[in-house]
């Protein structure tokens, strides 16, 4: 698709989709959603950009190989499980800590690290597939 209307709407729609994907990622602990669905929405945003401007424009904008993003996400998800194993608990047991920064309590968990890892794996893998398919089209 190479229409001016599609290109004009692709940029703000992509930004909106990326913000929504982060919202879905962060909301996933208290309600349906999480890393997988959020990653799919983000990958769909990159696929939309590739359809509007071509896959090379997406590769130039992202600057990191999508498969590297997926590998980093897989590493983060594995590390989340190792924390519990190192603490003497079963693998992938959720652990929570509270950081006190400037009078604000920030709860952190291995569950969030795992979810972020899944998000990155899905974004990287699905974006790599979408860009490869888009590059092969005539």
């Amino acid at each position: 698709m190479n229409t001016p209307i599609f290109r004009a709407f692709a940029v703000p729609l992509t930004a909106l989709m990326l913000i929504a994907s982060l919202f879905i990622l962060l909301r996933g602990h208290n309600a349906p959603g999480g890393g997988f669905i959020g990653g799919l929405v983000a990958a769909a945003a990159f696929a939309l950009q590739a359809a509007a401007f071509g896959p090379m424009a997406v590769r130039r904008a992202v600057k990191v190989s999508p498969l590297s993003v997926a590998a980093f996400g897989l590493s983060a998800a594995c590390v989340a499980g190792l924390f519990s194993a190192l603490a003497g608990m079963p693998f992938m047991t959720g652990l929570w800590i509270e950081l006190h920064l400037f009078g604000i309590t920030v709860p952190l968990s291995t569950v969030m690290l795992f979810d972020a890892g899944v998000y990155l794996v899905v974004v990287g893998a699905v974006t790599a597939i979408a860009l490869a398919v888009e590059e092969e089209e005539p």
Side-chain angles (χ1 to χ4, degrees):
M1 265 188 183
N2 209 1
T3 65
I5 294 173
F6 180 60
R7 284 183 176 214
F9 280 101
V11 174
L13 188 57
T14 299
L16 185 63
M17 289 173 73
L18 290 174
I19 292 169
S21 78
L22 291 175
F23 174 76
I24 293 168
L25 167 67
L26 297 175
R27 182 178 180 260
H29 296 294
N30 300 324
F36 186 79
I37 302 301
L40 286 178
V41 172
F46 292 129
L48 176 70
Q49 281 293 98
F53 300 103
M56 290 312 296
V58 175
R59 291 189 190 278
R60 280 192 305 271
V62 175
K63 296 183 176 139
V64 178
S65 166
L67 293 179
S68 297
V69 172
F72 182 76
L74 185 61
S75 300
C78 290
V79 166
L82 290 177
F83 281 134
S84 58
L86 292 174
M89 300 176 143
F91 186 70
M92 289 292 187
T93 301
L95 300 175
W96 285 263
I97 62 169
E98 290 185 352
L99 292 178
H100 300 285
L101 301 171
F102 308 110
I104 300 172
T105 302
V106 180
L108 297 175
S109 71
T110 57
V111 177
M112 185 62 200
L113 179 61
F114 178 78
D115 231 5
V118 170
Y119 178 86
L120 292 175
V121 167
V122 172
V123 168
V126 175
T127 300
I129 292 168
L131 293 178
V133 167
E134 190 71 27
E135 286 170 348
E136 290 183 12
E137 285 185 4

mmCIF file with all atom_site columns, all heavy atoms in Angstrom, residues 108-125:
data_model
loop_
_atom_site.group_PDB
_atom_site.id
_atom_site.type_symbol
_atom_site.label_atom_id
_atom_site.label_alt_id
_atom_site.label_comp_id
_atom_site.label_asym_id
_atom_site.label_entity_id
_atom_site.label_seq_id
_atom_site.pdbx_PDB_ins_code
_atom_site.Cartn_x
_atom_site.Cartn_y
_atom_site.Cartn_z
_atom_site.occupancy
_atom_site.B_iso_or_equiv
_atom_site.pdbx_formal_charge
_atom_site.auth_seq_id
_atom_site.auth_comp_id
_atom_site.auth_asym_id
_atom_site.auth_atom_id
_atom_site.pdbx_PDB_model_num
ATOM 1   N N   . LEU A 1 108 ? 9.116  -4.587  43.077 1.00 0.00 ? 108 LEU A N   1
ATOM 2   C CA  . LEU A 1 108 ? 9.681  -5.259  41.909 1.00 0.00 ? 108 LEU A CA  1
ATOM 3   C C   . LEU A 1 108 ? 9.522  -6.764  42.085 1.00 0.00 ? 108 LEU A C   1
ATOM 4   O O   . LEU A 1 108 ? 9.588  -7.270  43.200 1.00 0.00 ? 108 LEU A O   1
ATOM 5   C CB  . LEU A 1 108 ? 11.163 -4.917  41.751 1.00 0.00 ? 108 LEU A CB  1
ATOM 6   C CG  . LEU A 1 108 ? 11.512 -3.459  41.494 1.00 0.00 ? 108 LEU A CG  1
ATOM 7   C CD1 . LEU A 1 108 ? 13.021 -3.270  41.477 1.00 0.00 ? 108 LEU A CD1 1
ATOM 8   C CD2 . LEU A 1 108 ? 10.915 -2.996  40.188 1.00 0.00 ? 108 LEU A CD2 1
ATOM 9   N N   . SER A 1 109 ? 9.337  -7.465  40.971 1.00 0.00 ? 109 SER A N   1
ATOM 10  C CA  . SER A 1 109 ? 9.166  -8.901  41.068 1.00 0.00 ? 109 SER A CA  1
ATOM 11  C C   . SER A 1 109 ? 9.826  -9.608  39.900 1.00 0.00 ? 109 SER A C   1
ATOM 12  O O   . SER A 1 109 ? 10.025 -9.020  38.837 1.00 0.00 ? 109 SER A O   1
ATOM 13  C CB  . SER A 1 109 ? 7.677  -9.273  41.119 1.00 0.00 ? 109 SER A CB  1
ATOM 14  O OG  . SER A 1 109 ? 7.087  -9.056  39.863 1.00 0.00 ? 109 SER A OG  1
ATOM 15  N N   . THR A 1 110 ? 10.151 -10.865 40.115 1.00 0.00 ? 110 THR A N   1
ATOM 16  C CA  . THR A 1 110 ? 10.679 -11.677 39.022 1.00 0.00 ? 110 THR A CA  1
ATOM 17  C C   . THR A 1 110 ? 9.584  -11.970 38.004 1.00 0.00 ? 110 THR A C   1
ATOM 18  O O   . THR A 1 110 ? 9.878  -12.229 36.839 1.00 0.00 ? 110 THR A O   1
ATOM 19  C CB  . THR A 1 110 ? 11.261 -12.995 39.551 1.00 0.00 ? 110 THR A CB  1
ATOM 20  O OG1 . THR A 1 110 ? 10.249 -13.705 40.274 1.00 0.00 ? 110 THR A OG1 1
ATOM 21  C CG2 . THR A 1 110 ? 12.455 -12.751 40.447 1.00 0.00 ? 110 THR A CG2 1
ATOM 22  N N   . VAL A 1 111 ? 8.338  -11.900 38.434 1.00 0.00 ? 111 VAL A N   1
ATOM 23  C CA  . VAL A 1 111 ? 7.218  -12.108 37.516 1.00 0.00 ? 111 VAL A CA  1
ATOM 24  C C   . VAL A 1 111 ? 7.216  -11.023 36.441 1.00 0.00 ? 111 VAL A C   1
ATOM 25  O O   . VAL A 1 111 ? 7.011  -11.298 35.254 1.00 0.00 ? 111 VAL A O   1
ATOM 26  C CB  . VAL A 1 111 ? 5.880  -12.125 38.295 1.00 0.00 ? 111 VAL A CB  1
ATOM 27  C CG1 . VAL A 1 111 ? 4.709  -12.266 37.358 1.00 0.00 ? 111 VAL A CG1 1
ATOM 28  C CG2 . VAL A 1 111 ? 5.887  -13.213 39.347 1.00 0.00 ? 111 VAL A CG2 1
ATOM 29  N N   . MET A 1 112 ? 7.470  -9.788  36.845 1.00 0.00 ? 112 MET A N   1
ATOM 30  C CA  . MET A 1 112 ? 7.513  -8.687  35.879 1.00 0.00 ? 112 MET A CA  1
ATOM 31  C C   . MET A 1 112 ? 8.689  -8.847  34.929 1.00 0.00 ? 112 MET A C   1
ATOM 32  O O   . MET A 1 112 ? 8.571  -8.573  33.726 1.00 0.00 ? 112 MET A O   1
ATOM 33  C CB  . MET A 1 112 ? 7.600  -7.355  36.616 1.00 0.00 ? 112 MET A CB  1
ATOM 34  C CG  . MET A 1 112 ? 7.533  -6.163  35.714 1.00 0.00 ? 112 MET A CG  1
ATOM 35  S SD  . MET A 1 112 ? 5.963  -6.116  34.844 1.00 0.00 ? 112 MET A SD  1
ATOM 36  C CE  . MET A 1 112 ? 6.381  -5.068  33.487 1.00 0.00 ? 112 MET A CE  1
ATOM 37  N N   . LEU A 1 113 ? 9.835  -9.304  35.439 1.00 0.00 ? 113 LEU A N   1
ATOM 38  C CA  . LEU A 1 113 ? 10.990 -9.547  34.584 1.00 0.00 ? 113 LEU A CA  1
ATOM 39  C C   . LEU A 1 113 ? 10.679 -10.636 33.561 1.00 0.00 ? 113 LEU A C   1
ATOM 40  O O   . LEU A 1 113 ? 11.020 -10.505 32.380 1.00 0.00 ? 113 LEU A O   1
ATOM 41  C CB  . LEU A 1 113 ? 12.209 -9.932  35.425 1.00 0.00 ? 113 LEU A CB  1
ATOM 42  C CG  . LEU A 1 113 ? 13.492 -10.240 34.663 1.00 0.00 ? 113 LEU A CG  1
ATOM 43  C CD1 . LEU A 1 113 ? 13.950 -9.023  33.867 1.00 0.00 ? 113 LEU A CD1 1
ATOM 44  C CD2 . LEU A 1 113 ? 14.575 -10.685 35.630 1.00 0.00 ? 113 LEU A CD2 1
ATOM 45  N N   . PHE A 1 114 ? 10.010 -11.692 33.988 1.00 0.00 ? 114 PHE A N   1
ATOM 46  C CA  . PHE A 1 114 ? 9.618  -12.757 33.069 1.00 0.00 ? 114 PHE A CA  1
ATOM 47  C C   . PHE A 1 114 ? 8.647  -12.234 32.018 1.00 0.00 ? 114 PHE A C   1
ATOM 48  O O   . PHE A 1 114 ? 8.794  -12.521 30.821 1.00 0.00 ? 114 PHE A O   1
ATOM 49  C CB  . PHE A 1 114 ? 8.980  -13.920 33.844 1.00 0.00 ? 114 PHE A CB  1
ATOM 50  C CG  . PHE A 1 114 ? 8.504  -15.021 32.952 1.00 0.00 ? 114 PHE A CG  1
ATOM 51  C CD1 . PHE A 1 114 ? 9.397  -15.935 32.422 1.00 0.00 ? 114 PHE A CD1 1
ATOM 52  C CD2 . PHE A 1 114 ? 7.165  -15.137 32.631 1.00 0.00 ? 114 PHE A CD2 1
ATOM 53  C CE1 . PHE A 1 114 ? 8.962  -16.952 31.580 1.00 0.00 ? 114 PHE A CE1 1
ATOM 54  C CE2 . PHE A 1 114 ? 6.722  -16.147 31.791 1.00 0.00 ? 114 PHE A CE2 1
ATOM 55  C CZ  . PHE A 1 114 ? 7.626  -17.058 31.269 1.00 0.00 ? 114 PHE A CZ  1
ATOM 56  N N   . ASP A 1 115 ? 7.669  -11.455 32.433 1.00 0.00 ? 115 ASP A N   1
ATOM 57  C CA  . ASP A 1 115 ? 6.685  -10.908 31.498 1.00 0.00 ? 115 ASP A CA  1
ATOM 58  C C   . ASP A 1 115 ? 7.347  -9.973  30.482 1.00 0.00 ? 115 ASP A C   1
ATOM 59  O O   . ASP A 1 115 ? 7.007  -9.990  29.300 1.00 0.00 ? 115 ASP A O   1
ATOM 60  C CB  . ASP A 1 115 ? 5.600  -10.158 32.263 1.00 0.00 ? 115 ASP A CB  1
ATOM 61  C CG  . ASP A 1 115 ? 4.213  -10.590 31.882 1.00 0.00 ? 115 ASP A CG  1
ATOM 62  O OD1 . ASP A 1 115 ? 4.080  -11.535 31.089 1.00 0.00 ? 115 ASP A OD1 1
ATOM 63  O OD2 . ASP A 1 115 ? 3.251  -9.973  32.374 1.00 0.00 ? 115 ASP A OD2 1
ATOM 64  N N   . ALA A 1 116 ? 8.283  -9.156  30.945 1.00 0.00 ? 116 ALA A N   1
ATOM 65  C CA  . ALA A 1 116 ? 9.015  -8.274  30.026 1.00 0.00 ? 116 ALA A CA  1
ATOM 66  C C   . ALA A 1 116 ? 9.855  -9.094  29.054 1.00 0.00 ? 116 ALA A C   1
ATOM 67  O O   . ALA A 1 116 ? 9.975  -8.742  27.870 1.00 0.00 ? 116 ALA A O   1
ATOM 68  C CB  . ALA A 1 116 ? 9.891  -7.309  30.813 1.00 0.00 ? 116 ALA A CB  1
ATOM 69  N N   . GLY A 1 117 ? 10.426 -10.189 29.521 1.00 0.00 ? 117 GLY A N   1
ATOM 70  C CA  . GLY A 1 117 ? 11.177 -11.077 28.641 1.00 0.00 ? 117 GLY A CA  1
ATOM 71  C C   . GLY A 1 117 ? 10.296 -11.691 27.566 1.00 0.00 ? 117 GLY A C   1
ATOM 72  O O   . GLY A 1 117 ? 10.671 -11.743 26.389 1.00 0.00 ? 117 GLY A O   1
ATOM 73  N N   . VAL A 1 118 ? 9.110  -12.148 27.960 1.00 0.00 ? 118 VAL A N   1
ATOM 74  C CA  . VAL A 1 118 ? 8.165  -12.702 26.987 1.00 0.00 ? 118 VAL A CA  1
ATOM 75  C C   . VAL A 1 118 ? 7.770  -11.637 25.977 1.00 0.00 ? 118 VAL A C   1
ATOM 76  O O   . VAL A 1 118 ? 7.701  -11.894 24.767 1.00 0.00 ? 118 VAL A O   1
ATOM 77  C CB  . VAL A 1 118 ? 6.920  -13.284 27.704 1.00 0.00 ? 118 VAL A CB  1
ATOM 78  C CG1 . VAL A 1 118 ? 5.829  -13.636 26.716 1.00 0.00 ? 118 VAL A CG1 1
ATOM 79  C CG2 . VAL A 1 118 ? 7.310  -14.497 28.524 1.00 0.00 ? 118 VAL A CG2 1
ATOM 80  N N   . TYR A 1 119 ? 7.530  -10.428 26.454 1.00 0.00 ? 119 TYR A N   1
ATOM 81  C CA  . TYR A 1 119 ? 7.189  -9.298  25.576 1.00 0.00 ? 119 TYR A CA  1
ATOM 82  C C   . TYR A 1 119 ? 8.272  -9.102  24.511 1.00 0.00 ? 119 TYR A C   1
ATOM 83  O O   . TYR A 1 119 ? 7.981  -8.996  23.320 1.00 0.00 ? 119 TYR A O   1
ATOM 84  C CB  . TYR A 1 119 ? 7.034  -8.043  26.435 1.00 0.00 ? 119 TYR A CB  1
ATOM 85  C CG  . TYR A 1 119 ? 6.735  -6.772  25.691 1.00 0.00 ? 119 TYR A CG  1
ATOM 86  C CD1 . TYR A 1 119 ? 5.427  -6.421  25.372 1.00 0.00 ? 119 TYR A CD1 1
ATOM 87  C CD2 . TYR A 1 119 ? 7.751  -5.895  25.323 1.00 0.00 ? 119 TYR A CD2 1
ATOM 88  C CE1 . TYR A 1 119 ? 5.142  -5.237  24.706 1.00 0.00 ? 119 TYR A CE1 1
ATOM 89  C CE2 . TYR A 1 119 ? 7.474  -4.722  24.658 1.00 0.00 ? 119 TYR A CE2 1
ATOM 90  C CZ  . TYR A 1 119 ? 6.170  -4.395  24.355 1.00 0.00 ? 119 TYR A CZ  1
ATOM 91  O OH  . TYR A 1 119 ? 5.891  -3.225  23.689 1.00 0.00 ? 119 TYR A OH  1
ATOM 92  N N   . LEU A 1 120 ? 9.529  -9.079  24.943 1.00 0.00 ? 120 LEU A N   1
ATOM 93  C CA  . LEU A 1 120 ? 10.624 -8.859  24.002 1.00 0.00 ? 120 LEU A CA  1
ATOM 94  C C   . LEU A 1 120 ? 10.798 -10.027 23.032 1.00 0.00 ? 120 LEU A C   1
ATOM 95  O O   . LEU A 1 120 ? 11.116 -9.823  21.853 1.00 0.00 ? 120 LEU A O   1
ATOM 96  C CB  . LEU A 1 120 ? 11.922 -8.590  24.759 1.00 0.00 ? 120 LEU A CB  1
ATOM 97  C CG  . LEU A 1 120 ? 11.976 -7.277  25.531 1.00 0.00 ? 120 LEU A CG  1
ATOM 98  C CD1 . LEU A 1 120 ? 13.263 -7.181  26.344 1.00 0.00 ? 120 LEU A CD1 1
ATOM 99  C CD2 . LEU A 1 120 ? 11.848 -6.104  24.590 1.00 0.00 ? 120 LEU A CD2 1
ATOM 100 N N   . VAL A 1 121 ? 10.596 -11.256 23.509 1.00 0.00 ? 121 VAL A N   1
ATOM 101 C CA  . VAL A 1 121 ? 10.688 -12.419 22.619 1.00 0.00 ? 121 VAL A CA  1
ATOM 102 C C   . VAL A 1 121 ? 9.628  -12.327 21.531 1.00 0.00 ? 121 VAL A C   1
ATOM 103 O O   . VAL A 1 121 ? 9.910  -12.531 20.338 1.00 0.00 ? 121 VAL A O   1
ATOM 104 C CB  . VAL A 1 121 ? 10.539 -13.741 23.407 1.00 0.00 ? 121 VAL A CB  1
ATOM 105 C CG1 . VAL A 1 121 ? 10.326 -14.914 22.477 1.00 0.00 ? 121 VAL A CG1 1
ATOM 106 C CG2 . VAL A 1 121 ? 11.750 -13.987 24.277 1.00 0.00 ? 121 VAL A CG2 1
ATOM 107 N N   . VAL A 1 122 ? 8.404  -12.016 21.909 1.00 0.00 ? 122 VAL A N   1
ATOM 108 C CA  . VAL A 1 122 ? 7.317  -11.943 20.936 1.00 0.00 ? 122 VAL A CA  1
ATOM 109 C C   . VAL A 1 122 ? 7.522  -10.776 19.970 1.00 0.00 ? 122 VAL A C   1
ATOM 110 O O   . VAL A 1 122 ? 7.363  -10.929 18.750 1.00 0.00 ? 122 VAL A O   1
ATOM 111 C CB  . VAL A 1 122 ? 5.951  -11.844 21.657 1.00 0.00 ? 122 VAL A CB  1
ATOM 112 C CG1 . VAL A 1 122 ? 4.829  -11.579 20.675 1.00 0.00 ? 122 VAL A CG1 1
ATOM 113 C CG2 . VAL A 1 122 ? 5.687  -13.110 22.444 1.00 0.00 ? 122 VAL A CG2 1
ATOM 114 N N   . VAL A 1 123 ? 7.908  -9.612  20.486 1.00 0.00 ? 123 VAL A N   1
ATOM 115 C CA  . VAL A 1 123 ? 8.159  -8.463  19.610 1.00 0.00 ? 123 VAL A CA  1
ATOM 116 C C   . VAL A 1 123 ? 9.261  -8.799  18.613 1.00 0.00 ? 123 VAL A C   1
ATOM 117 O O   . VAL A 1 123 ? 9.115  -8.573  17.406 1.00 0.00 ? 123 VAL A O   1
ATOM 118 C CB  . VAL A 1 123 ? 8.542  -7.207  20.420 1.00 0.00 ? 123 VAL A CB  1
ATOM 119 C CG1 . VAL A 1 123 ? 9.089  -6.120  19.516 1.00 0.00 ? 123 VAL A CG1 1
ATOM 120 C CG2 . VAL A 1 123 ? 7.365  -6.688  21.186 1.00 0.00 ? 123 VAL A CG2 1
ATOM 121 N N   . GLY A 1 124 ? 10.357 -9.355  19.087 1.00 0.00 ? 124 GLY A N   1
ATOM 122 C CA  . GLY A 1 124 ? 11.475 -9.653  18.207 1.00 0.00 ? 124 GLY A CA  1
ATOM 123 C C   . GLY A 1 124 ? 11.155 -10.714 17.173 1.00 0.00 ? 124 GLY A C   1
ATOM 124 O O   . GLY A 1 124 ? 11.430 -10.545 15.980 1.00 0.00 ? 124 GLY A O   1
ATOM 125 N N   . ALA A 1 125 ? 10.561 -11.814 17.612 1.00 0.00 ? 125 ALA A N   1
ATOM 126 C CA  . ALA A 1 125 ? 10.291 -12.921 16.690 1.00 0.00 ? 125 ALA A CA  1
ATOM 127 C C   . ALA A 1 125 ? 9.227  -12.554 15.658 1.00 0.00 ? 125 ALA A C   1
ATOM 128 O O   . ALA A 1 125 ? 9.408  -12.785 14.454 1.00 0.00 ? 125 ALA A O   1
ATOM 129 C CB  . ALA A 1 125 ? 9.862  -14.151 17.478 1.00 0.00 ? 125 ALA A CB  1
#
